[in-house]
Amino acid sequence: QEIDHTKPMKEKSSSTPSLSSDRSSANSLSSTMNAAATSSKNNLDSNHTPANETSETAATTATSSRAHTPITSGTSLSSVSTSSHRPTDEDSPILSPANDDDDDDHDDDDDDHAANAPRSYYYLTPLAVRNLPSYQYHGADISLLYQRVLSPLAGWLVDRATPSWLAPNAITLLGLAWMATSYAIVWWHCPGLYEANDRVAGALRGSGDGSDVGDVPRWIFLFNGVAMLAYQTLDNMDGKQARKTRSSSPLGLLFDHGCDAVNSILGSANWMAAMAMVPGSLDRWMGGGGHEFETPPSAVSAAFGGDEVLAALLVFCPMIAFYVSTWEQYYTGKLILPPFNGPSEGLVLGASLSILSFLYGPMIWQSTSLVDTALDACRPVVGSSLQSWKGTVRNMDLIVLSSVLALLQEISLKIRFVLRTHGAHTLRTLLPHALLVGGFL
């Protein structure tokens, strides 16, 4: 009673012991009163915590609760940066303040900080910064190869062979590490990408300009094929691992697509080396010494302006496809991959190309065997009208042509869809990339 009168308690303990009407035992009464006094003192100490500490604790608890609130409704980055609607606290559960009257001062500080924070971003608008925590990725790959083979394989590996403690970003980084290692090995043996070309090697040896050219081990192309398949599988696994561990985030999406963008140039360079491609005029590179490089005439190379243009197309085709797909996602909020796309069929074909170079040698792509065989087979039907094409279309030319045609069909569909749904003003965001590619070519 003396403790209760000294400072009134804010909250009475619900477990205050009641005195028994039976006072037959003095020792039992004394023990009960001592226990009650100890309990009251503890409650007094806890209820008289300084106000600032209580407020800070409540604010910390509210912030932690908001940080771990599940995202129930996402918004795409396209609507984030183009919509005129400013989200309220009810729109985003993560950004809504805690319902605590004692935290009004802290909420005011948070609002001031949120209003000033977007000024430090270069690309993101204030509305984009507010909606970024609630962003959810929406995409689909309608490729039959992905749906029937690649996705089930990645799901099985995530469920059976991937521990829950492994971060999805670590899986993404491991996939990129495979491709970076393969690129480093290929660069070590083929720094100019043409060293596996026997014709160039023979010409350089004859002139004394390249005694070590042509000594390229085939196993590096096998490693590149395995690395591409490993990268593809890990790239399909990271998203499934994120959903399994409930760790999906906008940062994970940015990291995943950033690694994909870096990988596009690594894969293109390795393909050129695996096809013994000469990415330019070696005679000009060697100082115009009049080297005689006995390369078969190519109608495709002549039509495009030389092998250097074909090499540039191999580099830019995956880049342009990736850029236009992300451009479409910016406006529609969805990343939809067509039935035939680079991440699925493209990587499988690229890995097969490298494995064939390991089995039959890179010079198989410099021959004209595929078109010549097809013309001979069609001769009874078409006669001799197409026989002039024999020996003028290399197997490598078919790879470049198929890449260009696949790119044209994909980007034409995507650009037409965005123009029809969002208007012609969307083309202005394609202009920087078009100027880069056009200026380079």
Side-chain angles (χ1 to χ4, degrees), residues 56-82:
E56 291 176 0
T57 303
T60 303
T61 304
T63 303
S64 176
S65 176
R66 292 197 296 269
H68 292 81
T69 302
I71 297 176
T72 57
S73 61
T75 178
S76 66
L77 289 180
S78 58
S79 60
V80 163
S81 54
T82 59

PDB file of all heavy atoms in Angstrom, residues 56-82:
ATOM      1  N   GLU A  56      10.077   5.886 -28.603  1.00  0.00           N
ATOM      2  CA  GLU A  56      11.032   5.313 -29.542  1.00  0.00           C
ATOM      3  C   GLU A  56      10.784   3.823 -29.730  1.00  0.00           C
ATOM      4  O   GLU A  56      10.866   3.291 -30.828  1.00  0.00           O
ATOM      5  CB  GLU A  56      12.455   5.551 -29.062  1.00  0.00           C
ATOM      6  CG  GLU A  56      12.866   7.021 -29.133  1.00  0.00           C
ATOM      7  CD  GLU A  56      14.255   7.221 -28.564  1.00  0.00           C
ATOM      8  OE1 GLU A  56      14.843   6.217 -28.132  1.00  0.00           O
ATOM      9  OE2 GLU A  56      14.727   8.365 -28.552  1.00  0.00           O
ATOM     10  N   THR A  57      10.457   3.132 -28.617  1.00  0.00           N
ATOM     11  CA  THR A  57      10.188   1.702 -28.714  1.00  0.00           C
ATOM     12  C   THR A  57       8.964   1.435 -29.569  1.00  0.00           C
ATOM     13  O   THR A  57       8.945   0.548 -30.416  1.00  0.00           O
ATOM     14  CB  THR A  57       9.989   1.103 -27.312  1.00  0.00           C
ATOM     15  OG1 THR A  57      11.142   1.375 -26.521  1.00  0.00           O
ATOM     16  CG2 THR A  57       9.743  -0.404 -27.401  1.00  0.00           C
ATOM     17  N   ALA A  58       7.917   2.255 -29.346  1.00  0.00           N
ATOM     18  CA  ALA A  58       6.698   2.079 -30.149  1.00  0.00           C
ATOM     19  C   ALA A  58       6.955   2.361 -31.612  1.00  0.00           C
ATOM     20  O   ALA A  58       6.466   1.659 -32.492  1.00  0.00           O
ATOM     21  CB  ALA A  58       5.597   3.012 -29.622  1.00  0.00           C
ATOM     22  N   ALA A  59       7.754   3.410 -31.870  1.00  0.00           N
ATOM     23  CA  ALA A  59       8.049   3.736 -33.269  1.00  0.00           C
ATOM     24  C   ALA A  59       8.855   2.633 -33.929  1.00  0.00           C
ATOM     25  O   ALA A  59       8.624   2.277 -35.078  1.00  0.00           O
ATOM     26  CB  ALA A  59       8.801   5.064 -33.359  1.00  0.00           C
ATOM     27  N   THR A  60       9.825   2.090 -33.166  1.00  0.00           N
ATOM     28  CA  THR A  60      10.635   1.005 -33.722  1.00  0.00           C
ATOM     29  C   THR A  60       9.787  -0.220 -34.010  1.00  0.00           C
ATOM     30  O   THR A  60       9.913  -0.859 -35.047  1.00  0.00           O
ATOM     31  CB  THR A  60      11.756   0.632 -32.735  1.00  0.00           C
ATOM     32  OG1 THR A  60      12.542   1.796 -32.468  1.00  0.00           O
ATOM     33  CG2 THR A  60      12.636  -0.471 -33.311  1.00  0.00           C
ATOM     34  N   THR A  61       8.861  -0.529 -33.069  1.00  0.00           N
ATOM     35  CA  THR A  61       7.985  -1.676 -33.278  1.00  0.00           C
ATOM     36  C   THR A  61       7.090  -1.476 -34.481  1.00  0.00           C
ATOM     37  O   THR A  61       6.891  -2.371 -35.289  1.00  0.00           O
ATOM     38  CB  THR A  61       7.134  -1.909 -32.024  1.00  0.00           C
ATOM     39  OG1 THR A  61       7.994  -2.064 -30.901  1.00  0.00           O
ATOM     40  CG2 THR A  61       6.253  -3.153 -32.194  1.00  0.00           C
ATOM     41  N   ALA A  62       6.548  -0.266 -34.620  1.00  0.00           N
ATOM     42  CA  ALA A  62       5.678   0.016 -35.765  1.00  0.00           C
ATOM     43  C   ALA A  62       6.439  -0.058 -37.069  1.00  0.00           C
ATOM     44  O   ALA A  62       5.955  -0.593 -38.059  1.00  0.00           O
ATOM     45  CB  ALA A  62       5.037   1.399 -35.604  1.00  0.00           C
ATOM     46  N   THR A  63       7.677   0.476 -37.063  1.00  0.00           N
ATOM     47  CA  THR A  63       8.479   0.427 -38.284  1.00  0.00           C
ATOM     48  C   THR A  63       8.812  -1.003 -38.664  1.00  0.00           C
ATOM     49  O   THR A  63       8.736  -1.394 -39.822  1.00  0.00           O
ATOM     50  CB  THR A  63       9.773   1.226 -38.093  1.00  0.00           C
ATOM     51  OG1 THR A  63       9.442   2.561 -37.734  1.00  0.00           O
ATOM     52  CG2 THR A  63      10.603   1.221 -39.370  1.00  0.00           C
ATOM     53  N   SER A  64       9.188  -1.816 -37.655  1.00  0.00           N
ATOM     54  CA  SER A  64       9.500  -3.211 -37.939  1.00  0.00           C
ATOM     55  C   SER A  64       8.288  -3.947 -38.470  1.00  0.00           C
ATOM     56  O   SER A  64       8.383  -4.757 -39.377  1.00  0.00           O
ATOM     57  CB  SER A  64      10.033  -3.881 -36.667  1.00  0.00           C
ATOM     58  OG  SER A  64      10.246  -5.241 -36.888  1.00  0.00           O
ATOM     59  N   SER A  65       7.121  -3.634 -37.890  1.00  0.00           N
ATOM     60  CA  SER A  65       5.900  -4.287 -38.363  1.00  0.00           C
ATOM     61  C   SER A  65       5.597  -3.913 -39.794  1.00  0.00           C
ATOM     62  O   SER A  65       5.222  -4.747 -40.606  1.00  0.00           O
ATOM     63  CB  SER A  65       4.740  -3.902 -37.441  1.00  0.00           C
ATOM     64  OG  SER A  65       3.538  -4.436 -37.922  1.00  0.00           O
ATOM     65  N   ARG A  66       5.788  -2.643 -40.161  1.00  0.00           N
ATOM     66  CA  ARG A  66       5.525  -2.220 -41.523  1.00  0.00           C
ATOM     67  C   ARG A  66       6.528  -2.836 -42.478  1.00  0.00           C
ATOM     68  O   ARG A  66       6.197  -3.180 -43.606  1.00  0.00           O
ATOM     69  CB  ARG A  66       5.575  -0.693 -41.619  1.00  0.00           C
ATOM     70  CG  ARG A  66       4.434  -0.005 -40.887  1.00  0.00           C
ATOM     71  CD  ARG A  66       4.311   1.428 -41.357  1.00  0.00           C
ATOM     72  NE  ARG A  66       5.488   2.232 -41.038  1.00  0.00           N
ATOM     73  CZ  ARG A  66       5.635   2.941 -39.935  1.00  0.00           C
ATOM     74  NH1 ARG A  66       4.685   2.935 -39.014  1.00  0.00           N
ATOM     75  NH2 ARG A  66       6.720   3.651 -39.726  1.00  0.00           N
ATOM     76  N   ALA A  67       7.796  -2.964 -42.037  1.00  0.00           N
ATOM     77  CA  ALA A  67       8.826  -3.498 -42.936  1.00  0.00           C
ATOM     78  C   ALA A  67       8.570  -4.950 -43.291  1.00  0.00           C
ATOM     79  O   ALA A  67       8.974  -5.402 -44.347  1.00  0.00           O
ATOM     80  CB  ALA A  67      10.211  -3.361 -42.307  1.00  0.00           C
ATOM     81  N   HIS A  68       7.890  -5.682 -42.421  1.00  0.00           N
ATOM     82  CA  HIS A  68       7.643  -7.092 -42.679  1.00  0.00           C
ATOM     83  C   HIS A  68       6.204  -7.364 -43.066  1.00  0.00           C
ATOM     84  O   HIS A  68       5.765  -8.502 -43.077  1.00  0.00           O
ATOM     85  CB  HIS A  68       7.993  -7.931 -41.447  1.00  0.00           C
ATOM     86  CG  HIS A  68       9.454  -7.940 -41.159  1.00  0.00           C
ATOM     87  ND1 HIS A  68      10.078  -6.916 -40.491  1.00  0.00           N
ATOM     88  CD2 HIS A  68      10.428  -8.830 -41.480  1.00  0.00           C
ATOM     89  CE1 HIS A  68      11.367  -7.186 -40.376  1.00  0.00           C
ATOM     90  NE2 HIS A  68      11.606  -8.323 -40.965  1.00  0.00           N
ATOM     91  N   THR A  69       5.445  -6.305 -43.349  1.00  0.00           N
ATOM     92  CA  THR A  69       4.070  -6.501 -43.792  1.00  0.00           C
ATOM     93  C   THR A  69       4.069  -7.126 -45.170  1.00  0.00           C
ATOM     94  O   THR A  69       4.738  -6.638 -46.070  1.00  0.00           O
ATOM     95  CB  THR A  69       3.323  -5.151 -43.845  1.00  0.00           C
ATOM     96  OG1 THR A  69       3.368  -4.563 -42.546  1.00  0.00           O
ATOM     97  CG2 THR A  69       1.871  -5.367 -44.270  1.00  0.00           C
ATOM     98  N   PRO A  70       3.327  -8.206 -45.386  1.00  0.00           N
ATOM     99  CA  PRO A  70       3.307  -8.816 -46.733  1.00  0.00           C
ATOM    100  C   PRO A  70       2.723  -7.864 -47.748  1.00  0.00           C
ATOM    101  O   PRO A  70       1.796  -7.119 -47.469  1.00  0.00           O
ATOM    102  CB  PRO A  70       2.422 -10.060 -46.540  1.00  0.00           C
ATOM    103  CG  PRO A  70       2.362 -10.289 -45.069  1.00  0.00           C
ATOM    104  CD  PRO A  70       2.524  -8.947 -44.436  1.00  0.00           C
ATOM    105  N   ILE A  71       3.281  -7.887 -48.958  1.00  0.00           N
ATOM    106  CA  ILE A  71       2.769  -7.060 -50.041  1.00  0.00           C
ATOM    107  C   ILE A  71       1.525  -7.730 -50.599  1.00  0.00           C
ATOM    108  O   ILE A  71       1.577  -8.818 -51.141  1.00  0.00           O
ATOM    109  CB  ILE A  71       3.821  -6.902 -51.144  1.00  0.00           C
ATOM    110  CG1 ILE A  71       5.042  -6.178 -50.580  1.00  0.00           C
ATOM    111  CG2 ILE A  71       3.267  -6.134 -52.331  1.00  0.00           C
ATOM    112  CD1 ILE A  71       6.160  -6.057 -51.571  1.00  0.00           C
ATOM    113  N   THR A  72       0.396  -7.063 -50.468  1.00  0.00           N
ATOM    114  CA  THR A  72      -0.854  -7.639 -50.951  1.00  0.00           C
ATOM    115  C   THR A  72      -1.249  -7.101 -52.310  1.00  0.00           C
ATOM    116  O   THR A  72      -2.040  -7.702 -53.001  1.00  0.00           O
ATOM    117  CB  THR A  72      -1.979  -7.346 -49.956  1.00  0.00           C
ATOM    118  OG1 THR A  72      -2.080  -5.930 -49.776  1.00  0.00           O
ATOM    119  CG2 THR A  72      -1.684  -7.999 -48.612  1.00  0.00           C
ATOM    120  N   SER A  73      -0.731  -5.975 -52.698  1.00  0.00           N
ATOM    121  CA  SER A  73      -1.068  -5.433 -54.018  1.00  0.00           C
ATOM    122  C   SER A  73       0.139  -4.712 -54.550  1.00  0.00           C
ATOM    123  O   SER A  73       0.683  -3.837 -53.897  1.00  0.00           O
ATOM    124  CB  SER A  73      -2.258  -4.468 -53.924  1.00  0.00           C
ATOM    125  OG  SER A  73      -1.953  -3.390 -53.090  1.00  0.00           O
ATOM    126  N   GLY A  74       0.581  -5.082 -55.744  1.00  0.00           N
ATOM    127  CA  GLY A  74       1.761  -4.468 -56.334  1.00  0.00           C
ATOM    128  C   GLY A  74       1.398  -3.502 -57.417  1.00  0.00           C
ATOM    129  O   GLY A  74       0.287  -3.495 -57.943  1.00  0.00           O
ATOM    130  N   THR A  75       2.357  -2.668 -57.758  1.00  0.00           N
ATOM    131  CA  THR A  75       2.155  -1.733 -58.857  1.00  0.00           C
ATOM    132  C   THR A  75       3.374  -1.768 -59.740  1.00  0.00           C
ATOM    133  O   THR A  75       4.484  -1.922 -59.268  1.00  0.00           O
ATOM    134  CB  THR A  75       1.923  -0.305 -58.337  1.00  0.00           C
ATOM    135  OG1 THR A  75       1.777   0.565 -59.443  1.00  0.00           O
ATOM    136  CG2 THR A  75       3.060   0.171 -57.472  1.00  0.00           C
ATOM    137  N   SER A  76       3.191  -1.705 -61.025  1.00  0.00           N
ATOM    138  CA  SER A  76       4.296  -1.797 -61.965  1.00  0.00           C
ATOM    139  C   SER A  76       5.032  -0.480 -62.041  1.00  0.00           C
ATOM    140  O   SER A  76       4.487   0.571 -61.728  1.00  0.00           O
ATOM    141  CB  SER A  76       3.777  -2.162 -63.360  1.00  0.00           C
ATOM    142  OG  SER A  76       2.979  -1.116 -63.860  1.00  0.00           O
ATOM    143  N   LEU A  77       6.295  -0.540 -62.461  1.00  0.00           N
ATOM    144  CA  LEU A  77       7.072   0.674 -62.608  1.00  0.00           C
ATOM    145  C   LEU A  77       6.528   1.556 -63.708  1.00  0.00           C
ATOM    146  O   LEU A  77       6.753   2.757 -63.712  1.00  0.00           O
ATOM    147  CB  LEU A  77       8.528   0.310 -62.895  1.00  0.00           C
ATOM    148  CG  LEU A  77       9.290  -0.272 -61.722  1.00  0.00           C
ATOM    149  CD1 LEU A  77      10.717  -0.579 -62.134  1.00  0.00           C
ATOM    150  CD2 LEU A  77       9.270   0.645 -60.538  1.00  0.00           C
ATOM    151  N   SER A  78       5.798   0.971 -64.658  1.00  0.00           N
ATOM    152  CA  SER A  78       5.214   1.788 -65.704  1.00  0.00           C
ATOM    153  C   SER A  78       4.158   2.719 -65.132  1.00  0.00           C
ATOM    154  O   SER A  78       4.139   3.911 -65.386  1.00  0.00           O
ATOM    155  CB  SER A  78       4.595   0.896 -66.778  1.00  0.00           C
ATOM    156  OG  SER A  78       3.622   0.049 -66.196  1.00  0.00           O
ATOM    157  N   SER A  79       3.252   2.150 -64.305  1.00  0.00           N
ATOM    158  CA  SER A  79       2.229   2.994 -63.707  1.00  0.00           C
ATOM    159  C   SER A  79       2.821   3.901 -62.650  1.00  0.00           C
ATOM    160  O   SER A  79       2.289   4.971 -62.374  1.00  0.00           O
ATOM    161  CB  SER A  79       1.142   2.111 -63.082  1.00  0.00           C
ATOM    162  OG  SER A  79       1.696   1.277 -62.086  1.00  0.00           O
ATOM    163  N   VAL A  80       3.933   3.491 -62.053  1.00  0.00           N
ATOM    164  CA  VAL A  80       4.579   4.329 -61.047  1.00  0.00           C
ATOM    165  C   VAL A  80       5.004   5.660 -61.640  1.00  0.00           C
ATOM    166  O   VAL A  80       4.827   6.710 -61.047  1.00  0.00           O
ATOM    167  CB  VAL A  80       5.799   3.580 -60.467  1.00  0.00           C
ATOM    168  CG1 VAL A  80       6.720   4.540 -59.754  1.00  0.00           C
ATOM    169  CG2 VAL A  80       5.335   2.516 -59.494  1.00  0.00           C
ATOM    170  N   SER A  81       5.581   5.645 -62.828  1.00  0.00           N
ATOM    171  CA  SER A  81       6.183   6.842 -63.369  1.00  0.00           C
ATOM    172  C   SER A  81       5.290   7.581 -64.349  1.00  0.00           C
ATOM    173  O   SER A  81       5.614   8.682 -64.741  1.00  0.00           O
ATOM    174  CB  SER A  81       7.490   6.482 -64.082  1.00  0.00           C
ATOM    175  OG  SER A  81       7.247   5.489 -65.039  1.00  0.00           O
ATOM    176  N   THR A  82       4.156   6.995 -64.764  1.00  0.00           N
ATOM    177  CA  THR A  82       3.320   7.670 -65.732  1.00  0.00           C
ATOM    178  C   THR A  82       1.954   8.031 -65.180  1.00  0.00           C
ATOM    179  O   THR A  82       1.280   8.889 -65.711  1.00  0.00           O
ATOM    180  CB  THR A  82       3.109   6.775 -66.968  1.00  0.00           C
ATOM    181  OG1 THR A  82       2.494   5.545 -66.554  1.00  0.00           O
ATOM    182  CG2 THR A  82       4.440   6.470 -67.637  1.00  0.00           C
TER     183      THR A  82
END
